[in-house]
């Protein structure tokens, strides 16, 4: 299982094939449901929408969990998808994915690829932000708790903060490691704390903690 997302119990949409489906369970506070899949998936904060990659490639399907109907298909990235996540207020969706085959050797002799990050307006399903960059390994992205910023891991040593509405750069966080990074982490390798003053990033020898300027 690569990804999981909570969904409403009793939804008519229960499966997208043998490797992507929902599971219902009962806990002390009642019935719950969780969607699991071998490809990136995300549910909206109100649990009305499910965004899922089905099969291979860079497309994402958007499903209405209340009716079980597919609403649209996003041509998110050219080759694959590595990150799918809604903003906490549900207005925006961030995706990262591979755009091209390996382009050359990077640190440690690893082959780098062109990757992309897009922020989508959920009301229109049109991209507000679209950037591309070269790196080794799949990138990730995460929204701040207020949904106003998105952090993008452009390399193991570089994270950029962007305005989630217009893509303006809010700063670049750079680390210097004694050895070239060649590790691989998950698509959830970035996380803000509850009030958005700290950003955590998994690193080769531990966890980096970035202190962010107040906005």
């Amino acid at each position: 299982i690569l990804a999981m997302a909570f969904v409403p119990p009793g939804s008519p949409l229960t499966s997208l094939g043998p490797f992507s489906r929902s599971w219902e369970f009962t806990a002390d506070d009642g019935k719950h449901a969780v969607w699991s899949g071998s490809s990136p998936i995300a549910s909206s904060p109100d649990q009305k929408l499910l965004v899922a990659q089905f099969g291979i490639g860079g497309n994402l399907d958007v499903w209405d969990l209340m009716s079980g109907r597919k609403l649209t298909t996003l041509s998110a990235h050219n080759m694959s998808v590595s990150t799918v996540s809604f903003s906490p207020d549900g207005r925006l969706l961030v995706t990262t994915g591979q755009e091209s085959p390996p382009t050359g050797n990077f640190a440690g002799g690893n082959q780098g690829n062109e990757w992309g990050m897009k922020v989508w307006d959920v009301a229109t399903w049109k991209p507000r932000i679209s950037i591309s960059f070269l790196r080794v390994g799949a990138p990730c992205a995460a929204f701040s708790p207020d949904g106003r910023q998105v952090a993008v891991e452009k390399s193991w040593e570089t994270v950029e903060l962007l305005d989630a509405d217009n893509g303006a750069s809010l700063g670049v966080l750079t680390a210097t490691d004694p050895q070239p990074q060649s590790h691989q982490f998950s698509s959830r390798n970035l996380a803000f704390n509850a009030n958005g003053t700290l950003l955590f990033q998994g690193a080769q020898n531990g966890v980096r903690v970035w202190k962010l300027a107040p906005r």
Side-chain angles (χ1 to χ4, degrees), residues 11-28:
S11 170
L13 184 67
T14 60
S15 175
L16 296 177
F19 304 112
S20 186
R21 56 167 296 180
S22 66
W23 307 83
E24 291 194 356
F25 63 95
T26 301
D28 292 340

Side-chain angles (χ1 to χ4, degrees), residues 20 63 104 177 183 196:
S20 186
W63 297 86
D177 288 318
H183 51 275

Side-chain angles (χ1 to χ4, degrees), residues 166-198:
N166 58 34
S169 180
L170 303 175
V172 178
L173 310 174
T174 304
T176 301
D177 288 318
Q179 296 178 342
Q181 301 281 24
S182 60
H183 51 275
Q184 175 70 54
F185 289 112
S186 74
S187 59
R188 300 284 186 175
N189 199 43
L190 292 174
F192 287 85
N193 70 335
N195 63 11
T197 58
L198 300 174

Side-chain angles (χ1 to χ4, degrees), residues 93-106:
L93 179 81
V94 66
T95 66
T96 62
Q98 187 176 342
E99 305 292 6
S100 72
T103 57
N105 288 330
F106 281 62

Side-chain angles (χ1 to χ4, degrees), residues 18-60:
F19 304 112
S20 186
R21 56 167 296 180
S22 66
W23 307 83
E24 291 194 356
F25 63 95
T26 301
D28 292 340
D29 56 347
K31 184 177 287 188
H32 303 272
V34 65
W35 197 283
S36 65
S38 58
S39 299
I41 55 174
S43 59
S44 58
D46 61 7
Q47 296 188 11
K48 292 182 178 179
L49 300 174
L50 181 75
V51 177
Q53 182 190 35
F54 179 62
I56 60 174
N59 290 345
L60 289 166

Side-chain angles (χ1 to χ4, degrees), residues 146-171:
D146 61 7
R148 296 171 58 194
Q149 301 179 62
V150 60
V152 186
E153 190 182 62
K154 287 188 165 181
S155 74
W156 300 128
E157 293 82 26
T158 304
V159 177
E160 186 168 14
L161 296 173
L162 303 174
D163 186 296
D165 285 309
N166 58 34
S169 180
L170 303 175

